[in-house]
Amino acid sequence: MVKKPIPRKEIEIRVNREELRRLLHMVYIGTWVMTAHARNDDPRAAPYEELEQRLYAVAARHGFAGETGNPADDLLDYDEEFKQYFPTRDFDEGEARAFLDEYNDDTFWDELAYRLAERDAVQEAGGLERYAALPVTERMELTGDFEALYTGEFDENGLDNVRIVRPPSPPHTVH
């Protein structure tokens, strides 16, 4: 059975005011994750940023770019020079930022523990080739043991015990 192509039309989504506010937060978070650490304009992000601006324009028409004095409503400012909407300071530092900060904090500790664990597992296995040759379950167990060690350490002490160990410098000679 051959499916008929879906005609390309605008799709209407009905949301109430509170749902629109939440959607603004979700789009803000998603765009931030895609673009916050980009070194250059990433062309992959452009369609998402365009969609974000379309949603911001809809939100502005529904009172989210006003000056009501209510941070829950005053989420957006329009910049004439750039011809686009930007999050207000309250929006940028509010609910969405709290989610991003929690995500970043959790990701930092998870990634630090995992990357150090993987480094140690490779070293314990005798190098990357030997580590890669291990069955998946053994690699996971070896890495998991180190990861549990680091996770426990970080939970208990944060970064207090983390140090960079440098090889000893060669003795200085006088000529």
Side-chain angles (χ1 to χ4, degrees):
M1 177 176 182
V2 176
K3 291 184 178 182
K4 293 182 182 179
I6 298 173
R8 293 188 161 268
K9 293 175 155 181
E10 293 285 323
I11 296 174
E12 191 172 315
I13 299 173
R14 297 173 82 67
V15 295
N16 64 35
R17 188 168 175 74
E18 183 59 25
E19 291 168 333
L20 178 56
R21 189 183 71 73
R22 287 187 191 123
L23 186 57
L24 291 172
H25 283 88
M26 289 172 57
V27 168
Y28 173 83
I29 290 167
T31 304
W32 188 91
V33 167
M34 286 188 284
T35 61
H37 296 287
R39 290 197 169 95
N40 298 314
D41 286 338
D42 186 339
R44 298 174 304 168
Y48 297 95
E49 292 170 325
E50 290 169 18
L51 181 58
E52 176 186 46
Q53 285 299 309
R54 286 184 63 193
L55 180 63
Y56 284 175
V58 168
R61 289 194 302 271
H62 291 280
F64 285 101
E67 293 185 8
T68 66
N70 179 358
D73 288 337
D74 296 337
L75 302 180
L76 305 167
D77 284 324
Y78 187 76
D79 186 290
E80 287 291 341
E81 181 183 343
F82 291 102
K83 304 283 188 229
Q84 65 183 29
Y85 291 94
F86 290 94
T88 62
R89 184 176 187 171
D90 285 333
F91 182 29
D92 188 49
E93 295 175 357
E95 186 178 326
R97 177 60 52 194
F99 281 112
L100 286 168
D101 289 347
E102 289 172 27
Y103 171 81
N104 288 336
D105 191 55
D106 289 345
T107 301
F108 169 78
W109 293 111
D110 289 348
E111 281 294 310
L112 183 60
Y114 178 76
R115 290 177 188 208
L116 291 172
E118 191 171 50
R119 176 204 62 190
D120 292 353
V122 166
Q123 191 174 19
E124 177 90 0
L128 186 56
E129 286 183 25
R130 285 185 160 169
Y131 176 76
L134 292 173
V136 169
T137 54
E138 284 184 43
R139 284 195 317 259
M140 289 173 61
E141 185 178 331
L142 183 58
T143 304
D145 289 344
F146 282 112
E147 194 169 4
L149 176 75
Y150 283 115
T151 299
E153 171 63 30
F154 298 150
D155 285 347
E156 189 172 326
N157 299 303
L159 294 174
D160 290 346
N161 295 329
V162 175
R163 300 285 181 272
I164 294 177
V165 178
R166 293 186 176 103
S169 299
H172 295 286
T173 58
V174 180
H175 296 283

